[in-house]
Amino acid sequence: MHHLKSLRVRVALVWLVFLLVVAFSLFQGSRVRANIVAEENARFEREAVLASVASEVFTAQLVHQVGALLRAVRQFHRKSGAYAETETFIDQLGFDRSLIDGLYLLDAKGWGVAKARGRNVADRDYFQTHQRTPGDSLIISPVEIGRVSGKLHFRISIRVEREDGQFDGVVVATVRPEAFSNHYRQLQGSENRVFSLILSDSRRLLTRLPEPTLEQWARPANDDNWTMILRDEIGRFVAVSPVDGIKRIYVFRKINQLPLVMFVGFAEDDVQQAVAVRFRRLQDIAVSGLFILGLSALTLSLALISRERLAAANVRLESAYEVMRTQAMSDALTGLPARPMFFDRLAQAISAARRNERQVALLFLDLDGFKVVNDQHGHDAGDVVLKAVTHRWLACVRESDTIARLGGDEFAVIIGDLMPGTSMQAVCEKLIGAVAEDIALPNGQNVHVGVSIGLACYPDNGLEIDSLLAAADAAMYQSKGRGKNTWTLATARPLPNGEALDWLVFSDTHLLGVAEIDDQHRQLVRLVNRLNRVVNGEADPGGVAGLFAQLFEATRVHFETEHRYMLQYAYPAMAVHDHEHQRLLDELTRMAGETTPGNELLILQRVKDWLLDHIQGADRQLGHYLVRHGCQ
């Protein structure tokens, strides 16, 4: 119940965090939009300012270029005094006719004398202004339909004087508004962005993009902001355009030393559209983020639930494992330790005895007459006998000693922590005497069994687990041969060091007939024997860990050699053999990691079995195949 409550709290916290993030995102949405509006307004205004600067530069350069042409024509006419030569000079100037429509020379009465001959413009405002106003200033006049070209253009003109200062005519250039529009179009960006060039004195349009109607060219600008425009060099204002009725934000700047003001305006609708695009993109990202966050919250919730369920399953599994382990480690009938626990306790007892210079007594017990009981009275009666014998024997040994059932009617007793020279005669006779009395069966009948005991002691009869087991087993069979119901002390002795008398002997029966593989097997046996000697107290520079590392490396090289032979001779079971190699390496690594004080002998026994099983099993089949195919 506590775990369930804790799980609910954690899942609730996950979703609470998610809801808080959603609420925060909604709260921040309005602030984010306001920031985007401010940023986009600033961006549009910055772009408009840059466009106005670029347009100012273009306009000033064009006007100064026209002024230079006008002065050149005036200077030439002063020198030549001939209209025809001046006209030829104008034709040879080679100015850009996409910008400047034409250059003309007018006499003092307003008649065209160089280009535009036969036309009189004495009634034009710019001509009359030059006629009455001495000076060298350029005059820029509003857009009108030209009498010569019949097209919309505005004029830039300059006064011509005689040497005595008297008015002698005008040099005029006609400029089409489209020349500016083409330039503005490159800077426009949005169709709602507007460019206007206005004469500051007459408030008349010189150019505009988009272009106005014919009537709008002649209409002066009438804006409440004009006072500010005339006062300031640069500025901004918001107004509704009289041309197209669109509300815009305008930036303006005066063109230096010219009666011109450059306007660039951008529509608020364009700003809102840009804001909408950015905000929608952020919304998409936010929605995606919230979706991912929600999915993560769901995944985390499911993970927490699964984790709790897995933890509960693990608890049940561990309980089941403990039950199974207990069943595997203990004999179900007698409750005594079974073989796995027996080997573990024997290894620990020998390891402790080696460290403390003590002895361990190992007794193998085999019941005499047990088969007769089974045959005559049935297996249930046999089970009664085994339980009774177990109960009696437990009373014969110390609590620290171990009695194990190895299988059937075979038992073993481990008596550790013995002083050297301690006699086991009393213990053996006590165990034999414990089964001397009849055992009553549930049906009222009595049966009788005896026991044959084989006794082996560490280190007198063996230094390794299998050596000690073999000695005790041999002694037990000697007891059987001597008439049963007795005990026998083993006569086996540990072999001295030296390869021929080593614990693990590599004999001719282990040879496969492939020289390189046999040599490597022999090297592996040497390493296992060295490991055995170190475990039993002999000094070695590598120690247990170092010898395990050498054994692993030698095994790896050996497996590579076998793989090379399998490739060379096309061994059909190569995949299975390679898989077995990997399993053996993993097992060796695991055994090295599991080696701790107290279980070295048990691990050592597993290493010995690991090596011999490999040589006599899979490698035996490989050797036969290689020899049959001519490998030596």
Side-chain angles (χ1 to χ4, degrees), residues 208-374:
R208 188 182 189 277
L209 183 71
E211 295 181 0
T213 63
L214 186 61
E215 295 178 354
Q216 290 169 340
W217 281 114
R219 186 183 305 159
N222 185 15
D223 194 282
D224 296 337
N225 298 288
W226 201 256
T227 301
M228 176 187 66
I229 294 169
L230 293 178
R231 182 188 69 232
D232 299 335
E233 293 295 321
I234 59 174
R236 69 182 297 278
F237 60 90
V238 179
V240 176
S241 170
V243 176
D244 53 23
I246 296 176
K247 185 178 181 180
R248 291 185 176 89
I249 299 172
Y250 291 90
V251 296
F252 69 88
R253 66 177 48 244
K254 293 177 181 176
I255 298 179
N256 189 30
Q257 298 180 349
L258 294 174
L260 301 173
V261 183
M262 187 71 227
F263 294 84
V264 178
F266 56 93
E268 289 186 343
D269 289 345
D270 288 345
V271 176
Q272 293 302 322
Q273 185 177 358
V275 169
V277 171
R278 281 187 59 186
F279 191 69
R280 191 179 305 113
R281 189 180 302 121
L282 288 178
Q283 280 182 320
D284 292 341
I285 295 173
V287 169
S288 299
L290 290 175
F291 175 77
I292 294 173
L293 184 60
L295 189 61
S296 300
L298 178 61
T299 303
L300 183 57
S301 300
L302 293 176
L304 289 172
I305 295 172
S306 299
R307 182 180 176 185
E308 288 295 327
R309 290 178 177 175
L310 181 61
N314 283 337
V315 171
R316 293 193 297 270
L317 185 61
E318 288 176 3
S319 299
Y321 171 75
E322 286 300 323
V323 172
M324 293 174 62
R325 185 175 182 275
T326 301
Q327 292 174 349
M329 299 293 284
S330 301
D331 177 57
L333 178 64
T334 63
L336 295 175
R339 276 184 175 273
M341 188 180 294
F342 162 73
F343 280 107
D344 182 67
R345 291 190 179 179
L346 179 59
Q348 292 185 31
I350 294 175
S351 179
R354 185 179 63 248
R355 291 194 305 271
N356 301 321
E357 297 183 355
R358 298 296 180 92
Q359 287 189 334
V360 176
L362 174 63
L363 288 72
F364 264 22
L365 299 86
D366 189 89
L367 292 179
D368 300 323
F370 181 74
K371 185 176 183 301
V372 176
V373 174
N374 267 340

Side-chain angles (χ1 to χ4, degrees), residues 534-580:
V534 171
V535 168
N536 282 287
E538 182 178 309
D540 190 285
V544 173
L547 286 173
F548 262 116
Q550 293 181 43
L551 183 59
F552 183 91
E553 181 60 22
T555 303
R556 186 188 62 79
V557 172
H558 168 59
F559 288 165
E560 288 179 354
T561 301
E562 289 189 349
H563 182 75
R564 173 164 48 83
Y565 277 108
M566 289 189 290
L567 282 175
Q568 182 178 350
Y569 290 91
Y571 185 50
M574 182 174 67
V576 175
H577 204 84
D578 282 340
H579 179 75
E580 179 68 9

Side-chain angles (χ1 to χ4, degrees), residues 408-453:
D409 59 347
E410 295 180 354
F411 294 81
V413 179
I414 303 170
I415 302 176
D417 196 27
L418 297 174
M419 295 297 294
T422 302
S423 173
M424 288 290 103
Q425 179 178 351
V427 176
C428 292
E429 292 177 351
K430 193 174 183 180
L431 292 170
I432 294 172
V435 297
E437 296 182 9
D438 290 346
I439 299 173
L441 299 179
N443 61 7
Q445 293 181 305
N446 293 327
V447 294
H448 178 78
V449 293
V451 61
S452 295
I453 301 175

Side-chain angles (χ1 to χ4, degrees), residues 372-616:
V372 176
V373 174
N374 267 340
D375 292 343
Q376 293 181 358
H377 301 280
H379 290 286
D380 290 342
D383 290 346
V384 171
V385 170
L386 292 174
K387 290 180 181 179
V389 168
T390 297
H391 179 71
R392 294 178 185 182
W393 280 345
L394 286 173
C396 298
V397 297
R398 300 172 301 182
E399 188 175 348
S400 60
D401 299 332
T402 297
I403 300 179
R405 184 187 176 199
L406 303 183
D409 59 347
E410 295 180 354
F411 294 81
V413 179
I414 303 170
I415 302 176
D417 196 27
L418 297 174
M419 295 297 294
T422 302
S423 173
M424 288 290 103
Q425 179 178 351
V427 176
C428 292
E429 292 177 351
K430 193 174 183 180
L431 292 170
I432 294 172
V435 297
E437 296 182 9
D438 290 346
I439 299 173
L441 299 179
N443 61 7
Q445 293 181 305
N446 293 327
V447 294
H448 178 78
V449 293
V451 61
S452 295
I453 301 175
L455 170 63
C457 294
Y458 169 88
D460 297 342
N461 304 119
L463 300 177
E464 302 85 19
I465 290 177
D466 59 345
S467 301
L468 205 59
L469 291 173
D473 189 57
M476 185 269 294
Y477 277 104
Q478 289 180 21
S479 296
K480 290 279 188 183
R482 290 168 52 198
K484 303 180 181 180
N485 210 36
T486 186
W487 66 278
T488 302
L489 177 62
T491 57
R493 291 290 181 268
L495 297 176
N497 290 334
E499 184 175 348
L501 299 176
D502 265 332
W503 172 51
L504 178 56
V505 178
F506 189 82
S507 65
D508 291 344
T509 60
H510 297 126
L511 294 174
L512 303 182
V514 181
E516 186 175 8
I517 294 178
D518 286 335
D519 287 343
Q520 290 179 353
H521 282 164
R522 192 175 287 107
Q523 180 187 6
L524 294 176
V525 169
R526 291 194 194 101
L527 286 171
V528 172
N529 282 323
R530 282 180 60 191
L531 186 61
N532 174 57
R533 289 194 291 270
V534 171
V535 168
N536 282 287
E538 182 178 309
D540 190 285
V544 173
L547 286 173
F548 262 116
Q550 293 181 43
L551 183 59
F552 183 91
E553 181 60 22
T555 303
R556 186 188 62 79
V557 172
H558 168 59
F559 288 165
E560 288 179 354
T561 301
E562 289 189 349
H563 182 75
R564 173 164 48 83
Y565 277 108
M566 289 189 290
L567 282 175
Q568 182 178 350
Y569 290 91
Y571 185 50
M574 182 174 67
V576 175
H577 204 84
D578 282 340
H579 179 75
E580 179 68 9
H581 284 171
Q582 187 58 52
R583 185 190 67 79
L584 290 171
L585 285 174
D586 292 343
E587 187 176 351
L588 182 60
T589 302
R590 186 166 55 253
M591 288 189 291
E594 292 175 355
T595 303
T596 57
N599 73 340
E600 307 99 322
L601 289 175
L602 184 60
I603 295 296
L604 188 62
Q605 186 64 46
R606 288 170 56 190
V607 171
K608 178 182 178 182
D609 296 339
W610 166 86
L611 178 57
L612 290 180
D613 289 346
H614 167 64
I615 294 175
Q616 296 174 346

Side-chain angles (χ1 to χ4, degrees), residues 25-132:
S25 300
L26 294 175
F27 173 75
Q28 287 291 97
S30 58
R31 293 183 58 186
V32 170
R33 185 178 181 85
N35 290 337
I36 293 176
V37 170
E39 290 173 1
E40 288 301 313
N41 271 313
R43 180 175 71 86
F44 271 75
E45 185 168 334
R46 183 168 58 253
E47 291 177 355
V49 169
L50 293 175
S52 69
V53 171
S55 299
E56 175 196 10
V57 172
F58 174 80
T59 301
Q61 288 177 346
L62 180 59
V63 172
H64 292 153
Q65 178 185 352
V66 171
L69 291 172
L70 296 177
R71 289 183 175 89
V73 172
R74 184 180 65 180
Q75 182 67 22
F76 182 85
H77 177 64
R78 282 178 177 174
K79 288 183 178 181
S80 69
Y83 295 136
E85 292 181 8
T86 302
E87 186 170 312
T88 301
F89 176 75
I90 292 173
D91 290 337
Q92 294 175 348
L93 281 177
F95 52 84
D96 188 351
R97 294 188 180 275
S98 66
L99 301 177
I100 303 170
D101 194 46
L103 288 174
Y104 308 98
L105 174 63
L106 307 175
D107 64 12
K109 295 182 179 180
W111 290 98
V113 291
K115 314 297 286 185
R117 292 188 180 188
R119 299 286 195 275
N120 188 280
V121 294
D123 59 333
R124 296 292 194 184
D125 290 341
Y126 72 89
F127 184 83
Q128 294 176 5
T129 300
H130 283 304
Q131 192 176 39
R132 64 175 179 267

